[in-house]
Amino acid sequence: MGNFVDCCRGFWCRTKNPDVRISLPGVCFVWQIAMIILFGLFVRYNDESDAHWSEHKHKNNITSDIENDFYYRYPSFQDVHVMIFVGFGFLMTFLKRYSFGGVGFNFLIAAFGLQWALLMQGWFHSLDPVDGTIKIGVENIINADFCVAGCLIAYGALLGKVSPVQLMVLTLFGITLFAVEEHIILKLLHVRDAGGSMVIHTFGAYYGLTVSWILYRPKLHHSKHLHGSVYHSDVFAMIGTLFLWMFWPSFNSAISDHGDGQHRAAINTYLALASSVLTTFAISSLSAKKGKLDMVHIQNATLAGGVAMGTAAEFMITPYGSLIVGFCCGIISTFGYLVITPFMEKYLKIQDTCGIHNLHAMPGVLGAVIGALTAATASESVYGHEGLVNTFDFKGDYANRTPAMQGGFQAAGLCVALVFGIVGGIIVGCILRLPFFGDPADENCFDDEVYWEVPEDEESIPPILEYNSHMVGKNTGMMSESNFTVEQS
């Protein structure tokens, strides 16, 4: 028995080898070739992007090309696309020595994920029963970006601690799980979740947190000196924050119903975001002895209002209701960074690099609860009969559903997202523990040199005084001034 235990320990706890020279190119080439083959077999243009559009216009009495969905959806797609590649990417550049990995690996998994998402979501939502092909248009590529967002959120919990091969595997399974839970929540349960508080944020956050729990690193303190930011890295991360903050109204309204639904979703998100900024600044200042602001809170908690408004964005929550949601989220999210994240790492063994529990998990759950309550209390006196039917899509098989019943199904959707995130995270986390994915040793985490060619002049710069750690409290009394000179060439 002892020999068996030693054998298992030797397999699972072998020395880390971060060399991905064979595995990363192999995964990229093989999976991209697989995408080409699958797209060739299954994916075709839909009626509005096909060359037969003119015939489609005549057949359906469409008088102008302006009625093509492209002209309606593409501005929103641009905004969402910028959020995925620029917003999320730069938000992850706060670590002093992991900016390449933050924005670079974000680029890699998003590019792969959107292709796999088009296939997975297409098989569930856009499959033509006549010829068995997936018909894609502009709305499909928006939904693919949404799908990728869930995996990028999960990446936030693992930032700096996993290899690019592990991230590709995380994305492969994450997209698959997302497509299934999205189908259950939006189609089978008929839940309304335009901005994805449940489908995207709750699922993505608990998926990433559970994987991080499974991949717990007991000696991560050896990389503690790199687990923080410097002045310029926080400035770059703030660029990501501003892009996300500006475009979040588009994110929550991108696939909303034409007309008042999309208009209302943009307004509600706009107000919730603004409100969360003020409470974030307030709590951040109150938490410090001399009232100094923490850039960690400003980069993240200011976005929490947009997350929480995802489900109820289309609903008649009222403008002041949106402000209340943002007000509460700014407080909850900032409190999470101050208290809950350290607690989770110390007692629950969950190492959350970016604090996704505070930005996505808690606001996502809160948004789902707000959505359920708002749906359950909806009435014709507020929405009007036709407005109630259109907002909650009480048509066809769901024509007899009441607002109270809809509220119950909204709550059930939250449970589905939690189950898929946690159970899926356990399964994928166990797979990622396999010792041949090239993940870094505990003492080499949060360092770009493991997977990137870092310019030499970067290494010649003397150490910069660490002024901020995203998870560890500051102790300015222990800091001493550092004087140095740089020789001019």
Side-chain angles (χ1 to χ4, degrees):
M1 182 67 181
N3 291 334
F4 175 75
V5 173
D6 291 339
C7 181
C8 291
R9 184 180 293 112
F11 178 77
W12 290 103
C13 303
R14 65 175 67 177
T15 303
K16 303 285 188 181
N17 179 14
D19 186 350
V20 292
R21 186 180 183 184
I22 302 299
S23 57
L24 180 59
V27 166
C28 290
F29 275 122
V30 171
W31 289 9
Q32 186 57 61
I33 291 171
M35 292 299 105
I36 293 171
I37 294 172
L38 289 172
F39 268 68
L41 292 173
F42 291 103
V43 180
R44 301 292 184 269
Y45 300 119
N46 69 4
D47 290 331
E48 295 188 329
S49 56
D50 193 87
H52 294 86
W53 163 246
S54 297
E55 300 172 15
H56 178 76
K57 281 197 302 181
H58 296 311
K59 182 178 179 181
N60 292 275
N61 296 320
I62 297 173
T63 59
S64 173
D65 285 334
I66 202 68
E67 295 185 52
N68 190 303
D69 206 34
F70 173 85
Y71 298 102
Y72 179 76
R73 299 285 188 191
Y74 190 74
S76 296
F77 164 71
Q78 286 181 305
D79 294 349
V80 172
H81 216 46
V82 168
M83 290 179 68
I84 296 299
F85 288 92
V86 179
F88 279 104
F90 275 88
L91 185 61
M92 296 186 191
T93 61
F94 66 89
L95 292 173
K96 65 179 72 174
R97 292 284 295 175
Y98 206 74
S99 294
F100 287 8
V103 73
F105 292 150
N106 181 93
F107 192 13
L108 171 67
I109 62 178
F112 165 67
L114 64 87
Q115 298 176 69
W116 183 228
L118 283 170
L119 287 166
M120 285 302 305
Q121 291 180 311
W123 284 321
F124 280 106
H125 305 303
S126 307
L127 195 66
D128 190 329
V130 177
D131 58 11
T133 60
I134 299 168
K135 301 298 172 54
I136 65 170
V138 67
E139 188 168 344
N140 299 85
I141 60 178
I142 294 174
N143 280 316
D145 276 4
F146 282 168
C147 193
V148 165
C151 292
L152 297 182
I153 291 167
Y155 175 36
L158 306 169
L159 184 69
K161 301 177 295 183
V162 291
S163 72
V165 178
Q166 285 178 307
L167 288 175
M168 293 289 280
V169 175
L170 176 88
T171 305
L172 178 73
F173 286 102
I175 296 293
T176 305
L177 289 166
F178 182 99
V180 177
E181 62 109 16
E182 179 189 46
H183 179 71
I184 294 173
I185 293 173
L186 301 186
K187 298 299 180 182
L188 300 185
L189 298 180
H190 197 63
V191 168
R192 306 296 288 176
D193 191 27
S197 291
M198 291 178 278
V199 175
I200 300 171
H201 299 286
T202 301
F203 163 76
Y206 284 103
Y207 176 55
L209 290 169
T210 307
V211 172
S212 182
W213 175 61
I214 296 293
L215 300 182
Y216 175 71
R217 291 174 173 269
K219 298 180 180 179
L220 193 62
H221 60 274
H222 290 310
S223 297
K224 182 180 178 181
H225 63 290
L226 295 176
H227 190 194
S229 60
V230 291
Y231 193 86
H232 66 267
S233 67
D234 266 336
V235 171
F236 274 108
M238 194 63 195
I239 293 172
T241 298
L242 291 174
F243 270 100
L244 290 170
W245 196 91
M246 289 187 299
F247 292 139
W248 216 293
S250 294
F251 189 91
N252 282 355
S253 64
I255 58 171
S256 299
D257 291 336
H258 292 207
D260 65 288
Q262 188 171 48
H263 197 165
R264 193 163 51 247
I267 292 173
N268 288 336
T269 307
Y270 176 88
L271 294 173
L273 285 165
S275 182
S276 64
V277 171
L278 272 71
T279 50
T280 298
F281 272 80
I283 300 301
S284 182
S285 180
L286 282 172
S287 66
K289 289 183 179 180
K290 294 185 178 181
K292 292 186 178 181
L293 300 167
D294 191 332
M295 201 59 166
V296 181
H297 308 152
I298 310 307
Q299 288 165 0
N300 295 277
T302 53
L303 302 170
V307 175
M309 191 49 65
T311 298
E314 295 178 292
F315 302 165
M316 291 285 287
I317 195 171
T318 73
Y320 77 87
S322 301
L323 291 174
I324 292 173
V325 171
F327 182 93
C328 295
C329 284
I331 296 173
I332 293 170
S333 183
T334 309
F335 178 79
Y337 281 98
L338 291 167
V339 178
I340 298 178
T341 294
F343 175 86
M344 289 171 60
E345 181 167 354
K346 184 176 181 180
Y347 296 104
L348 303 181
K349 307 302 180 185
I350 298 175
Q351 297 159 327
D352 182 7
T353 306
C354 290
I356 64 170
H357 183 261
N358 313 309
L359 174 55
H360 298 281
M362 291 193 298
V365 171
L366 178 62
V369 173
I370 292 169
L373 293 175
T374 308
T377 56
S379 64
E380 289 191 10
S381 63
V382 175
Y383 290 80
H385 176 72
E386 189 173 350
L388 193 67
V389 169
N390 291 334
T391 300
F392 296 101
D393 199 23
F394 290 157
K395 304 171 185 175
D397 294 338
Y398 308 98
N400 295 323
R401 182 175 288 189
T402 64
M405 293 172 60
Q406 182 65 32
F409 279 102
Q410 294 284 144
L414 172 61
C415 296
V416 172
L418 288 169
V419 168
F420 269 80
I422 294 171
V423 176
I426 291 173
I427 296 171
V428 176
C430 291
I431 294 172
L432 295 181
R433 282 189 66 89
L434 294 172
F436 46 74
F437 285 120
D439 52 319
D442 289 0
E443 60 270 18
N444 293 327
C445 290
F446 315 121
D447 194 345
D448 274 330
E449 286 192 12
V450 178
Y451 300 112
W452 296 85
E453 290 287 349
V454 179
E456 292 183 4
D457 58 342
E458 174 73 16
E459 298 179 17
S460 68
I461 298 175
I464 300 173
L465 182 64
E466 176 180 343
Y467 78 94
N468 179 28
S469 171
H470 270 60
M471 300 305 159
V472 182
K474 304 181 185 67
N475 188 359
T476 55
M478 298 296 292
M479 295 183 180
S480 60
E481 293 185 3
S482 176
N483 298 316
F484 54 81
T485 59
V486 179
E487 183 178 350
Q488 301 292 329
S489 58

